[in-house]
Amino acid sequence: MASRRKAQPEKDGRLIETDVLVVGGGPSAAWAALSAAETGVRVVLVDKGYHGTSGATAPSNTGTWCVPPGEGRAASVEQRFKRTAGLADRRWMLRAADQAYENLLKLVEWGYPFPSEEDGSLYIANLRGPDYMRFVRQRVQKAGVTILDHHPILELLGDDNHIGGAAGLVRRSGASFRVSAGAVVLATGGCAFFERILGGTGLTGDGSLFAAEAGASLSGMEFTGKYTLSPHGSSLNKGLPFRWATFYRENGEVLRNAHGDPVTNGIGGGERQVAEALLTGPVYARLDLAEPAMQDWLRRGQPNCFQPYDRMGINPFEQRFRVELKYEGTVRGTGGIRIVSSDCGTGVAGLYVAGDAASRENVTGGISGGGAINASWAIASGWWAGHGAAHHARRRQSRDAARLQPLGTAGLRGSGKRDDVDLAATAQAVHDEIVPLDKSYWRTAAALESSRRTLDDIWSRLGQTGPATGIERLRARELASVTANARWTVAAALLRTESRGVHRRRDFPGEDDAQASRITVSGLGKVTAAREILALETAREG
Amino acid sequence: MIEVISTDRCIRCDICERICPAFVFDRDETGLPVIARQDDCQTCFLCEIYCPTDALYVAEDAHGPTGISEAEVVERGLFGTYARSLGWSRGRAGGAQNDPTRHIRVAQV
Ligand SMILES: Cc1cc2nc3c(=O)[nH]c(=O)nc-3n(C[C@H](O)[C@H](O)[C@H](O)COP(=O)(O)OP(=O)(O)OC[C@H]3O[C@@H](n4cnc5c(N)ncnc54)[C@H](O)[C@@H]3O)c2cc1C
Ligand code: SF4
Ligand code: SF4
């Protein structure tokens, strides 16, 4: 983990001036940048990685929620709404379907190589990650957006009551840079809690930390009990092939459910039984329910899924292989920065949010938006946030970069009282409070309370550690961010004393109608969780 | 994670260093990429498909090196396999228009 680069004193570094700053390099960042640039303002996009390969989409193959206009759309929303554990919002679903569809048509117009149906029409409901992200990078460049790759943002900058930019570091040198902007879009993706999933390394929930430091709140952080099957030890958290799997115990015995039927469909009904079985020992799978035609489609349509098998030298349709459930935090789980306006504003002036960095409850409620909704949400929310930020920036023409103050806390401005915090070991400790199946697939008050204490202690130690320098600042901030995300998750999960969507409490296995509202969390030093409806009522009364 | 860089195949174009999302590579004095931060590798296989000469090999284990040698990668024909199955070639994108995923999604429900 340690870097060989020399630590450098972090002076303020280069200053870049722009109208809209987009933080991130995945699809939501690309759409935000395109949308803002379309209005004629100057746009800078800064990515921790390389815009085109970074994030969760680039290494994957994402299906979209692609609903053409017409009578079918309302029915499609209604059908989907039934699965959202009562917490989605039909208006948001409808407008997301509309905006995503419109933008998919833009891809057609721009010449993205969609496959054709048998009748010659284009099939636009799927975007192959590496191709899609490479394609949109070229569009972003063409739109005149300045792209800074390998330039992670470390903190936001603000004046009295506006967000006015951000500061970060250059990975190549460890040097600092600052961007002064009229508005900022956070498109930093979800938080993978240091789990090794596709695209996961850079996904440390940084945007949530930045937003919380600026006073924004989060929502849906309890809907993070999301895992996906993968070949054991690999990075391939892609569930689709497991639709055609049968599962086995180590001794070769078929895994059976309570009725004595074999457990199948690992991305549907079978997942829970596989998860239970994994608590007691290794589980194996074989994709033996895929007919030859399906085997061919899977191989050609999801080639990344087959990389582990091909490299291990096994045939997954014929041979059994060991599997695990990889934790996906807020990447395929649903929580994130709370949205308060239709242009994806966060409630903090000048700060907008898009994609997985935002709570996706508006469109997917308490369940995972993986498989279709999230990709469309990244497109639609990116578009709205880009417009929102551009309009805000236009209204703030006179800005003074000299008045900007840095808003970062832990990892950047610790008290320096202690120097015994090992970043790698602490990262592992935070991972271990959240990732195991008996911490986040099934939750209990006792386990959550114990995690809360451990994580609070880690947070206070991080606050007492001296500021990191040079390139190490990135590690320190990622750790602070994952720790903060873990604390919000635990706080929300403790408050929701029922099971709903991808939040499962062993001690409260049923859904409780009285709790059919969202849970908001906020704060860093002290974390507070509150039910949204109660908070609104209190606000009205007071 | 990333394990093999073939010195013979590599043309020192620096693409892998630029496009790796996890910033894993440095370069030596001759321009040859070196795996400087292996543990940061996210096993996404994207450097393989961007490399114009199929000079990189990413092994399947996301948690640590498997110790596979270049000779074994060659013998088992593993250089460039992901790029070929996508339809990418010499670092150029291709094949998205032949993606049969729609059949899978229809059958999935
Ligand atoms: C294996 C897998 C398969 C998936 N399949 C589907 C599917 O079929 N359908 C579907 O709807 N969804 C799917 N998803 C989800 C989908 O990929 C995400 O919803 C989507 O990528 C979100 O886009 P995003 O731009 O918000 O975030 P990401 O694509 O994750 O991008 C986040 C970006 O932020 C950058 N970043 C992070 N921190 C910083 C920082 N501090 N400074 C600067 N930049 C930063 C990262 O480098 C990255 O570029 C899948 C996810 C995975 C992991
Ligand atoms: S992309 Fe391939 S050819 Fe270019 S420097 Fe990297 S390994 Fe060498
Ligand atoms: S597999 Fe991905 S993260 Fe690893 S070196 Fe290659 S591009 Fe970088």
Coordinates of all heavy atoms in Angstrom, one line a residue, chain A residues 4-5 49-50 53 61 63 113 115-118 123 126 128 131 134 150 172 196 199-201 233-235 243 294 297 301-304 307 310-312 326 475, chain B residues 1 17-21 23 26 37 39-40 42-43 45-46 48 57-58 60-63 76 81-82 85-86 88 91 94 96-97 99 101-105 107-108:
Chain A
R4 N 6.0 4.9 -2.9 CA 7.5 5.2 -2.9 C 7.7 6.7 -3.1 O 8.9 7.1 -3.0 CB 8.2 4.3 -3.9 CG 8.2 2.8 -3.5 CD 9.1 2.1 -4.4 NE 8.6 1.9 -5.8 CZ 9.0 2.6 -6.8 NH1 10.0 3.5 -6.7 NH2 8.5 2.4 -8.0
R5 N 6.7 7.4 -3.5 CA 6.9 8.8 -3.9 C 7.3 9.6 -2.7 O 6.8 9.4 -1.6 CB 5.6 9.3 -4.5 CG 5.6 9.2 -5.9 CD 4.1 9.4 -6.4 NE 3.8 8.2 -7.2 CZ 4.3 8.1 -8.4 NH1 5.2 8.9 -8.9 NH2 4.0 7.0 -9.1
G49 N -9.2 8.5 -11.0 CA -8.5 7.6 -12.0 C -8.4 8.2 -13.4 O -8.2 9.4 -13.5
Y50 N -8.7 7.4 -14.4 CA -8.7 7.9 -15.7 C -10.1 7.8 -16.2 O -10.8 6.8 -16.2 CB -7.8 6.9 -16.6 CG -7.8 7.2 -18.1 CD1 -7.0 8.2 -18.6 CD2 -8.7 6.5 -18.9 CE1 -7.0 8.4 -20.0 CE2 -8.7 6.7 -20.3 CZ -7.8 7.7 -20.8 OH -7.9 7.9 -22.2
T53 N -11.9 4.6 -17.9 CA -11.7 3.3 -17.3 C -12.1 3.2 -15.8 O -12.2 2.1 -15.2 CB -10.2 2.8 -17.4 OG1 -9.4 3.7 -16.7 CG2 -9.8 2.7 -18.9
N61 N -20.7 -4.5 -17.8 CA -21.6 -4.4 -19.0 C -23.0 -4.1 -18.5 O -23.6 -5.0 -17.9 CB -21.5 -5.8 -19.7 CG -22.2 -5.7 -21.1 OD1 -22.7 -4.6 -21.5 ND2 -22.2 -6.8 -21.8
G63 N -26.8 -3.1 -18.1 CA -28.2 -3.0 -18.7 C -28.8 -1.7 -18.1 O -28.5 -1.3 -17.0
P113 N -21.9 2.4 -31.1 CA -22.2 1.1 -31.8 C -23.1 0.1 -31.1 O -22.7 -0.9 -30.6 CB -20.8 0.5 -32.0 CG -20.0 1.0 -30.9 CD -20.5 2.4 -30.6
P115 N -25.9 -2.8 -30.7 CA -26.2 -4.0 -31.5 C -27.6 -3.8 -32.1 O -28.4 -3.0 -31.6 CB -26.1 -5.1 -30.5 CG -26.2 -4.5 -29.1 CD -25.8 -3.1 -29.2
S116 N -27.9 -4.6 -33.1 CA -29.2 -4.6 -33.7 C -30.1 -5.8 -33.3 O -29.5 -6.9 -33.0 CB -29.1 -4.6 -35.2 OG -28.2 -3.6 -35.6
E117 N -31.4 -5.6 -33.3 CA -32.3 -6.7 -33.1 C -32.4 -7.4 -34.5 O -31.9 -6.9 -35.5 CB -33.7 -6.1 -32.8 CG -33.8 -5.3 -31.5 CD -34.0 -6.2 -30.3 OE1 -33.8 -7.4 -30.4 OE2 -34.4 -5.7 -29.2
E118 N -33.1 -8.6 -34.4 CA -33.3 -9.3 -35.7 C -34.0 -8.5 -36.8 O -33.7 -8.7 -37.9 CB -34.1 -10.6 -35.4 CG -33.2 -11.8 -34.9 CD -32.5 -11.5 -33.6 OE1 -33.0 -10.7 -32.7 OE2 -31.4 -12.0 -33.4
Y123 N -30.8 -2.1 -30.5 CA -31.1 -2.5 -29.1 C -30.3 -1.6 -28.2 O -29.1 -1.7 -28.1 CB -30.7 -4.0 -28.9 CG -30.9 -4.4 -27.4 CD1 -32.2 -4.8 -27.0 CD2 -29.9 -4.6 -26.5 CE1 -32.4 -5.2 -25.7 CE2 -30.1 -5.0 -25.2 CZ -31.4 -5.3 -24.8 OH -31.6 -5.7 -23.5
N126 N -28.7 -1.7 -23.4 CA -27.5 -2.2 -22.8 C -26.2 -1.4 -23.3 O -26.2 -1.1 -24.4 CB -27.3 -3.7 -23.2 CG -26.3 -4.4 -22.3 OD1 -26.6 -4.7 -21.1 ND2 -25.1 -4.6 -22.8
R128 N -22.1 -1.6 -23.1 CA -20.9 -2.3 -22.7 C -19.9 -1.4 -22.1 O -19.4 -0.4 -22.8 CB -20.4 -3.1 -24.0 CG -19.7 -4.4 -23.5 CD -19.4 -5.3 -24.7 NE -18.4 -4.7 -25.6 CZ -17.8 -5.4 -26.5 NH1 -18.1 -6.7 -26.8 NH2 -16.8 -4.9 -27.3
D131 N -16.5 0.1 -23.8 CA -16.8 0.8 -25.0 C -17.6 2.1 -24.7 O -17.3 3.1 -25.3 CB -17.7 -0.1 -25.9 CG -17.0 -1.5 -26.2 OD1 -17.1 -2.3 -25.2 OD2 -16.5 -1.7 -27.2
R134 N -15.3 4.7 -23.0 CA -14.3 5.3 -23.9 C -15.0 6.2 -24.9 O -14.5 7.3 -25.2 CB -13.7 4.1 -24.7 CG -12.5 4.6 -25.6 CD -11.9 3.4 -26.2 NE -10.6 3.8 -26.8 CZ -9.6 3.0 -27.1 NH1 -9.8 1.7 -26.9 NH2 -8.5 3.5 -27.6
H150 N -6.3 11.3 -13.0 CA -5.4 11.0 -11.9 C -5.2 12.2 -11.0 O -4.1 12.5 -10.5 CB -4.0 10.5 -12.3 CG -4.2 9.2 -13.2 ND1 -4.8 8.1 -12.8 CD2 -3.8 9.0 -14.5 CE1 -4.8 7.2 -13.8 NE2 -4.2 7.7 -14.8
R172 N 0.7 11.7 -9.8 CA 2.1 11.6 -10.3 C 3.1 12.2 -9.4 O 4.2 11.6 -9.2 CB 2.1 12.1 -11.8 CG 3.5 12.2 -12.4 CD 4.0 11.1 -13.3 NE 3.2 9.9 -13.6 CZ 3.5 8.7 -13.0 NH1 4.4 8.5 -12.1 NH2 2.8 7.7 -13.4
R196 N -12.8 -5.8 -2.8 CA -12.1 -5.9 -4.1 C -13.2 -6.3 -5.2 O -13.2 -7.5 -5.6 CB -10.9 -6.7 -4.1 CG -9.8 -6.1 -3.2 CD -8.6 -6.9 -3.2 NE -7.6 -6.3 -2.2 CZ -6.4 -5.9 -2.5 NH1 -6.0 -6.0 -3.8 NH2 -5.7 -5.3 -1.6
G199 N -14.0 -2.3 -10.4 CA -14.1 -0.8 -10.4 C -14.0 -0.3 -9.0 O -14.1 0.9 -8.8
G200 N -13.8 -1.1 -8.0 CA -14.0 -0.7 -6.6 C -12.9 0.1 -5.9 O -13.2 0.8 -4.9
T201 N -11.7 0.0 -6.4 CA -10.6 0.6 -5.6 C -10.8 2.1 -5.3 O -10.5 2.5 -4.2 CB -9.2 0.5 -6.4 OG1 -9.2 -0.7 -7.1 CG2 -8.1 0.6 -5.5
G233 N -12.4 -15.3 -4.6 CA -11.1 -14.7 -4.7 C -10.9 -13.8 -5.9 O -9.9 -13.1 -6.0
S234 N -12.0 -13.7 -6.7 CA -11.9 -12.9 -7.9 C -12.4 -11.5 -7.7 O -12.9 -11.2 -6.6 CB -12.6 -13.5 -9.1 OG -14.0 -13.3 -8.9
S235 N -12.4 -10.6 -8.7 CA -13.0 -9.3 -8.6 C -14.4 -9.3 -9.3 O -15.0 -8.2 -9.4 CB -12.1 -8.3 -9.3 OG -12.0 -8.7 -10.7
R243 N -27.7 -16.9 -12.5 CA -29.1 -17.1 -12.8 C -29.2 -18.6 -13.2 O -30.3 -19.2 -13.0 CB -29.5 -16.2 -13.9 CG -30.9 -16.5 -14.6 CD -32.0 -16.3 -13.6 NE -33.3 -16.6 -14.2 CZ -33.8 -17.8 -14.4 NH1 -33.0 -18.8 -13.9 NH2 -34.9 -18.1 -14.9
M294 N -27.5 -20.5 -24.5 CA -27.3 -19.5 -23.5 C -25.8 -19.5 -23.1 O -25.3 -18.4 -22.8 CB -28.1 -19.9 -22.2 CG -28.0 -19.0 -21.1 SD -28.3 -17.2 -21.5 CE -30.1 -17.3 -21.9
W297 N -24.2 -17.2 -25.6 CA -24.6 -15.8 -25.3 C -23.8 -15.3 -24.1 O -23.4 -14.1 -24.1 CB -26.1 -15.6 -25.1 CG -26.9 -15.9 -26.4 CD1 -26.5 -15.7 -27.7 CD2 -28.2 -16.4 -26.4 NE1 -27.5 -16.1 -28.5 CE2 -28.6 -16.5 -27.8 CE3 -29.2 -16.7 -25.4 CZ2 -29.9 -16.9 -28.2 CZ3 -30.4 -17.2 -25.8 CH2 -30.8 -17.3 -27.2
G301 N -21.6 -12.3 -24.6 CA -22.2 -11.1 -24.0 C -21.6 -10.6 -22.7 O -21.6 -9.4 -22.4
Q302 N -21.1 -11.5 -21.9 CA -20.5 -11.2 -20.6 C -19.1 -11.7 -20.5 O -18.7 -12.5 -19.6 CB -21.3 -11.7 -19.5 CG -22.8 -11.4 -19.6 CD -23.1 -9.9 -19.2 OE1 -22.5 -9.4 -18.2 NE2 -23.9 -9.2 -20.0
P303 N -18.2 -11.4 -21.5 CA -16.9 -12.0 -21.5 C -16.1 -11.7 -20.3 O -15.2 -12.6 -19.9 CB -16.2 -11.4 -22.8 CG -17.0 -10.2 -23.2 CD -18.4 -10.4 -22.6
N304 N -16.3 -10.6 -19.6 CA -15.5 -10.4 -18.4 C -15.8 -11.4 -17.3 O -14.9 -11.9 -16.6 CB -15.7 -9.0 -17.8 CG -17.1 -8.6 -17.5 OD1 -18.0 -9.4 -17.7 ND2 -17.3 -7.4 -16.9
Q307 N -13.4 -14.4 -17.5 CA -11.9 -14.2 -17.4 C -11.4 -15.1 -16.2 O -10.4 -15.8 -16.4 CB -11.6 -12.7 -17.2 CG -11.8 -11.9 -18.5 CD -11.4 -12.6 -19.8 OE1 -10.3 -13.1 -19.9 NE2 -12.3 -12.8 -20.7
D310 N -11.5 -18.8 -17.3 CA -10.5 -19.1 -18.3 C -9.1 -19.1 -17.8 O -8.2 -19.9 -18.1 CB -10.6 -18.1 -19.5 CG -11.9 -18.3 -20.3 OD1 -12.6 -19.3 -20.0 OD2 -12.3 -17.4 -21.1
R311 N -8.8 -18.2 -16.9 CA -7.5 -18.0 -16.4 C -7.2 -19.1 -15.4 O -6.0 -19.6 -15.2 CB -7.3 -16.6 -15.8 CG -7.1 -15.6 -16.9 CD -7.5 -14.2 -16.5 NE -7.9 -13.5 -17.8 CZ -7.3 -12.5 -18.3 NH1 -6.3 -11.9 -17.7 NH2 -7.8 -12.0 -19.5
M312 N -8.2 -19.6 -14.7 CA -8.0 -20.7 -13.7 C -8.0 -22.0 -14.5 O -7.6 -23.1 -14.0 CB -9.2 -20.8 -12.7 CG -9.1 -19.8 -11.6 SD -10.4 -20.1 -10.4 CE -11.8 -19.2 -11.1
K326 N -19.6 -11.1 -2.6 CA -18.8 -9.9 -2.5 C -19.7 -8.7 -2.0 O -20.8 -8.6 -2.5 CB -18.2 -9.5 -3.8 CG -17.1 -10.4 -4.3 CD -15.8 -9.8 -4.0 CE -14.7 -10.7 -4.4 NZ -13.4 -10.4 -3.9
R475 N -4.7 8.3 0.7 CA -5.1 7.2 1.5 C -5.8 7.6 2.8 O -6.7 7.0 3.3 CB -3.8 6.5 2.0 CG -3.0 5.9 0.9 CD -3.6 4.6 0.5 NE -2.8 4.1 -0.6 CZ -3.3 3.6 -1.7 NH1 -4.6 3.7 -1.9 NH2 -2.6 3.1 -2.7
Chain B
M1 N -4.7 -10.0 -10.0 CA -4.2 -8.7 -10.3 C -3.1 -8.7 -11.3 O -2.7 -9.8 -11.8 CB -3.6 -8.1 -9.0 CG -2.8 -9.0 -8.1 SD -2.3 -8.2 -6.5 CE -3.9 -7.7 -5.8
E17 N 0.1 3.0 -18.5 CA 0.4 3.9 -17.4 C -0.7 5.0 -17.3 O -1.2 5.3 -16.2 CB 1.8 4.5 -17.5 CG 2.2 5.2 -16.3 CD 3.4 6.1 -16.5 OE1 3.9 6.2 -17.7 OE2 3.8 6.8 -15.6
R18 N -1.1 5.5 -18.4 CA -2.1 6.6 -18.5 C -3.5 6.1 -18.1 O -4.2 6.8 -17.4 CB -2.1 7.3 -19.8 CG -1.1 8.4 -20.0 CD -1.4 9.3 -21.2 NE -1.2 8.5 -22.4 CZ -2.2 8.3 -23.3 NH1 -3.4 8.8 -23.1 NH2 -2.0 7.6 -24.4
I19 N -3.8 4.9 -18.7 CA -5.3 4.6 -18.6 C -5.6 3.7 -17.3 O -6.8 3.6 -17.0 CB -5.8 3.9 -19.8 CG1 -5.2 2.5 -20.0 CG2 -5.6 4.8 -21.1 CD1 -5.9 1.4 -19.3
C20 N -4.6 3.2 -16.7 CA -4.9 2.3 -15.5 C -5.7 3.2 -14.5 O -5.1 4.2 -14.0 CB -3.7 1.8 -14.8 SG -4.0 1.0 -13.2
P21 N -6.9 2.8 -14.1 CA -7.7 3.7 -13.2 C -7.1 3.7 -11.8 O -7.4 4.6 -11.0 CB -9.1 3.0 -13.2 CG -8.8 1.6 -13.7 CD -7.6 1.6 -14.6
F23 N -3.9 3.6 -11.1 CA -2.5 4.2 -11.1 C -1.5 3.3 -10.5 O -0.7 3.6 -9.6 CB -2.6 5.5 -10.2 CG -1.5 6.5 -10.6 CD1 -1.5 7.1 -11.8 CD2 -0.5 6.8 -9.7 CE1 -0.5 8.0 -12.2 CE2 0.5 7.7 -10.0 CZ 0.5 8.3 -11.3
D26 N 4.4 2.6 -12.9 CA 5.4 3.7 -13.2 C 6.2 3.2 -14.5 O 5.9 2.2 -15.0 CB 6.4 3.8 -12.0 CG 5.8 4.6 -10.9 OD1 4.8 5.3 -11.1 OD2 6.3 4.5 -9.8
R37 N 2.6 -0.4 -7.9 CA 1.7 -0.4 -6.7 C 0.7 -1.6 -7.0 O -0.5 -1.4 -7.2 CB 1.0 0.9 -6.6 CG 1.9 2.1 -6.1 CD 1.3 3.4 -6.4 NE 1.2 3.8 -7.8 CZ 2.3 4.3 -8.5 NH1 3.4 4.6 -7.9 NH2 2.2 4.5 -9.8
D39 N -0.6 -3.9 -5.2 CA -1.8 -4.1 -4.4 C -2.9 -3.2 -4.6 O -4.0 -3.4 -4.1 CB -1.3 -4.0 -2.9 CG -2.3 -4.7 -2.0 OD1 -2.7 -5.9 -2.3 OD2 -2.8 -4.0 -1.0
D40 N -2.7 -2.1 -5.3 CA -3.8 -1.2 -5.7 C -4.6 -1.7 -6.9 O -5.7 -1.1 -7.2 CB -3.2 0.2 -6.1 CG -2.7 1.0 -4.8 OD1 -2.9 0.5 -3.7 OD2 -2.1 2.0 -5.0
Q42 N -7.2 -3.2 -9.3 CA -8.5 -3.6 -9.0 C -9.0 -4.8 -9.9 O -10.2 -5.1 -10.0 CB -9.5 -2.5 -9.1 CG -9.5 -1.8 -10.4 CD -10.5 -0.7 -10.5 OE1 -11.2 -0.3 -9.5 NE2 -10.7 -0.2 -11.7
T43 N -8.0 -5.4 -10.6 CA -8.3 -6.6 -11.4 C -9.5 -6.4 -12.3 O -10.5 -7.1 -12.4 CB -8.6 -7.8 -10.5 OG1 -7.6 -7.8 -9.4 CG2 -8.5 -9.1 -11.2
F45 N -8.9 -5.8 -15.7 CA -8.5 -6.3 -17.0 C -8.5 -5.2 -18.1 O -8.3 -5.5 -19.3 CB -9.4 -7.4 -17.5 CG -9.5 -8.6 -16.5 CD1 -10.7 -8.7 -15.7 CD2 -8.5 -9.5 -16.3 CE1 -10.8 -9.7 -14.8 CE2 -8.6 -10.5 -15.3 CZ -9.8 -10.6 -14.6
L46 N -8.7 -3.9 -17.7 CA -8.8 -2.9 -18.8 C -7.4 -2.6 -19.4 O -7.4 -2.3 -20.6 CB -9.5 -1.7 -18.2 CG -11.0 -1.9 -17.9 CD1 -11.6 -0.7 -17.2 CD2 -11.8 -2.2 -19.2
E48 N -5.2 -4.6 -20.2 CA -5.0 -5.6 -21.2 C -5.6 -5.2 -22.5 O -5.0 -5.3 -23.6 CB -5.7 -7.0 -20.8 CG -4.8 -7.8 -19.8 CD -5.4 -9.2 -19.7 OE1 -6.1 -9.7 -20.6 OE2 -5.1 -9.8 -18.7
Y57 N -0.6 -9.1 -18.7 CA -1.5 -10.2 -18.2 C -1.9 -9.9 -16.8 O -1.1 -9.7 -15.9 CB -0.7 -11.5 -18.3 CG -1.6 -12.6 -17.8 CD1 -2.7 -13.1 -18.6 CD2 -1.4 -13.2 -16.6 CE1 -3.5 -14.1 -18.2 CE2 -2.2 -14.3 -16.1 CZ -3.3 -14.7 -16.9 OH -4.1 -15.7 -16.5
V58 N -3.2 -10.0 -16.6 CA -3.8 -9.8 -15.3 C -4.3 -11.1 -14.8 O -5.2 -11.7 -15.5 CB -5.0 -8.8 -15.4 CG1 -5.6 -8.6 -14.0 CG2 -4.5 -7.4 -15.9
E60 N -6.3 -13.9 -12.2 CA -7.7 -13.9 -11.7 C -7.8 -13.5 -10.3 O -8.9 -13.1 -9.8 CB -8.4 -15.2 -12.0 CG -7.8 -16.4 -11.2 CD -6.6 -17.0 -11.8 OE1 -6.0 -16.5 -12.8 OE2 -6.1 -18.1 -11.3
D61 N -6.8 -13.7 -9.5 CA -6.9 -13.5 -8.1 C -6.8 -12.0 -7.7 O -5.8 -11.4 -8.0 CB -5.8 -14.3 -7.3 CG -6.0 -14.3 -5.8 OD1 -6.7 -13.5 -5.3 OD2 -5.5 -15.3 -5.2
A62 N -7.9 -11.5 -7.1 CA -7.9 -10.1 -6.8 C -7.2 -9.7 -5.5 O -7.0 -8.5 -5.2 CB -9.4 -9.6 -6.7
H63 N -6.8 -10.7 -4.8 CA -6.2 -10.4 -3.4 C -4.7 -10.6 -3.3 O -4.1 -10.2 -2.3 CB -6.9 -11.3 -2.4 CG -8.4 -11.1 -2.4 ND1 -8.9 -10.2 -1.5 CD2 -9.4 -11.5 -3.1 CE1 -10.2 -10.1 -1.7 NE2 -10.5 -10.9 -2.7
R76 N -0.2 -21.1 -22.5 CA -1.6 -21.3 -22.4 C -2.4 -20.4 -23.3 O -3.6 -20.3 -23.3 CB -2.1 -21.2 -20.9 CG -1.5 -22.4 -20.1 CD -1.9 -22.2 -18.6 NE -3.4 -22.0 -18.5 CZ -3.9 -21.4 -17.4 NH1 -3.2 -20.9 -16.4 NH2 -5.3 -21.2 -17.4
T81 N -6.6 -12.5 -24.4 CA -7.8 -13.3 -24.5 C -9.1 -12.4 -24.3 O -10.1 -12.5 -25.0 CB -7.9 -14.4 -23.5 OG1 -7.4 -14.0 -22.2 CG2 -7.0 -15.6 -24.0
Y82 N -9.0 -11.5 -23.3 CA -10.2 -10.7 -23.0 C -10.4 -9.7 -24.2 O -11.6 -9.6 -24.6 CB -9.9 -9.9 -21.7 CG -11.1 -9.0 -21.3 CD1 -12.4 -9.5 -21.5 CD2 -10.9 -7.8 -20.6 CE1 -13.5 -8.7 -21.0 CE2 -12.0 -7.0 -20.2 CZ -13.3 -7.5 -20.4 OH -14.4 -6.7 -20.0
S85 N -12.1 -11.6 -26.9 CA -13.5 -12.0 -26.7 C -14.5 -10.8 -26.8 O -15.7 -10.9 -27.0 CB -13.7 -12.8 -25.4 OG -13.2 -12.0 -24.3
L86 N -13.9 -9.6 -26.5 CA -14.8 -8.4 -26.7 C -14.9 -7.9 -28.1 O -15.8 -7.3 -28.5 CB -14.1 -7.2 -25.9 CG -14.3 -7.2 -24.4 CD1 -13.4 -6.1 -23.7 CD2 -15.8 -6.9 -24.0
W88 N -12.1 -6.2 -29.2 CA -11.1 -5.2 -29.3 C -9.8 -5.7 -29.9 O -9.6 -6.9 -29.8 CB -10.8 -4.6 -27.9 CG -11.8 -3.8 -27.3 CD1 -13.1 -4.0 -27.3 CD2 -11.6 -2.5 -26.5 NE1 -13.8 -2.9 -26.6 CE2 -12.8 -2.1 -26.1 CE3 -10.4 -1.8 -26.2 CZ2 -13.0 -0.9 -25.4 CZ3 -10.6 -0.6 -25.4 CH2 -11.8 -0.2 -25.0
G91 N -5.5 -2.5 -29.0 CA -5.8 -1.4 -28.2 C -7.0 -0.5 -28.7 O -7.4 0.5 -28.1
G94 N -13.9 -2.3 -30.3 CA -14.6 -3.0 -31.3 C -15.5 -4.1 -30.8 O -15.3 -4.5 -29.7
A96 N -18.8 -4.0 -29.9 CA -20.0 -3.7 -29.1 C -21.2 -4.0 -29.9 O -22.3 -4.4 -29.3 CB -19.9 -2.3 -28.6
Q97 N -21.2 -3.8 -31.2 CA -22.4 -4.0 -32.0 C -22.8 -5.4 -32.2 O -23.8 -5.8 -32.6 CB -22.2 -3.3 -33.4 CG -21.2 -3.9 -34.3 CD -19.8 -3.5 -34.0 OE1 -19.5 -2.9 -33.0 NE2 -18.8 -3.9 -34.9
D99 N -22.7 -7.5 -29.5 CA -23.0 -8.0 -28.1 C -24.3 -8.7 -28.1 O -25.4 -8.0 -28.3 CB -22.9 -6.8 -27.2 CG -23.1 -7.2 -25.7 OD1 -23.5 -8.4 -25.5 OD2 -22.9 -6.3 -24.8
T101 N -26.0 -9.7 -25.5 CA -26.5 -9.6 -24.1 C -28.1 -9.5 -24.1 O -28.7 -10.0 -23.1 CB -25.9 -8.4 -23.3 OG1 -24.5 -8.8 -23.2 CG2 -26.5 -8.2 -22.0
R102 N -28.7 -8.9 -25.1 CA -30.1 -8.8 -25.1 C -30.8 -10.2 -25.0 O -31.8 -10.3 -24.3 CB -30.6 -8.1 -26.4 CG -30.3 -8.8 -27.7 CD -30.7 -8.0 -28.9 NE -30.5 -8.7 -30.1 CZ -29.4 -8.9 -30.7 NH1 -28.3 -8.6 -30.1 NH2 -29.3 -9.6 -31.8
H103 N -30.2 -11.2 -25.5 CA -30.8 -12.6 -25.4 C -30.8 -13.0 -24.0 O -31.7 -13.7 -23.5 CB -30.1 -13.6 -26.2 CG -30.1 -13.3 -27.7 ND1 -31.3 -13.3 -28.4 CD2 -29.1 -13.0 -28.6 CE1 -31.0 -13.0 -29.7 NE2 -29.7 -12.8 -29.8
I104 N -29.7 -12.6 -23.3 CA -29.6 -13.1 -21.9 C -30.6 -12.4 -21.0 O -31.3 -13.0 -20.2 CB -28.2 -12.8 -21.3 CG1 -27.1 -13.3 -22.3 CG2 -28.0 -13.3 -19.9 CD1 -25.7 -12.9 -21.9
R105 N -30.7 -11.1 -21.2 CA -31.6 -10.3 -20.4 C -33.1 -10.7 -20.6 O -33.9 -10.7 -19.7 CB -31.5 -8.8 -20.6 CG -30.1 -8.3 -20.3 CD -30.0 -7.0 -19.5 NE -28.7 -6.5 -19.5 CZ -27.8 -6.6 -18.5 NH1 -28.2 -7.3 -17.4 NH2 -26.6 -6.1 -18.6
A107 N -34.0 -13.7 -21.4 CA -34.2 -15.0 -20.7 C -34.1 -15.0 -19.2 O -34.6 -15.9 -18.5 CB -33.1 -16.0 -21.2
Q108 N -33.5 -13.9 -18.7 CA -33.3 -13.8 -17.3 C -34.6 -13.7 -16.5 O -34.7 -14.2 -15.4 CB -32.4 -12.5 -17.1 CG -32.0 -12.2 -15.7 CD -31.6 -10.8 -15.5 OE1 -31.3 -10.1 -16.5 NE2 -31.6 -10.3 -14.3

